[in-house]
Amino acid sequence: MAFDAAIRKGNARVNATGNRLLGEAFLHRSRVPLEQAPIDHVTAAEGAALQQEPTDAEADPEELEYGVPDGCSPWACRGHIESGRDDFGLAA
């Protein structure tokens, strides 16, 4: 909560020209301080995502802890990745 309060007015380096922040900055999407934010409220999208997740009884504890062996994230992939080229010589 202290960090949320500290960023409220921004700082002199908010943008490339050094102009101060117009308005206020908040961490929570409701644009209120964290101590007032409805952090226990589940949105419709979050509720739908929860409905699609497996229950603890169905989930493999090893997979929950370490992910799928050859799974990918937005930053990297684990496991062996086959490198290949398409018809134009680009990575496939």
Side-chain angles (χ1 to χ4, degrees):
M1 288 188 212
F3 178 76
D4 180 59
I7 66 167
R8 192 78 60 241
K9 298 295 181 193
N11 63 36
R13 294 191 211 164
V14 171
N15 60 33
T17 61
N19 294 330
R20 296 202 63 71
L21 181 67
L22 300 175
E24 295 180 322
F26 297 94
L27 291 177
H28 195 268
R29 67 177 168 254
S30 64
R31 298 191 39 82
V32 296
L34 280 180
E35 62 262 6
Q36 299 171 7
I39 59 174
D40 58 347
H41 174 74
V42 178
T43 65
E46 292 167 337
L50 288 172
Q51 294 294 325
Q52 295 174 358
E53 291 180 5
T55 63
D56 289 339
E58 299 168 349
D60 176 20
E62 191 78 14
E63 186 176 318
L64 289 174
E65 180 68 26
Y66 300 107
V68 292
D70 291 328
C72 291
S73 75
W75 300 278
C77 289
R78 294 185 297 269
H80 180 68
I81 305 299
E82 295 290 330
S83 62
R85 302 279 178 186
D86 64 9
D87 294 338
F88 300 102
L90 301 173

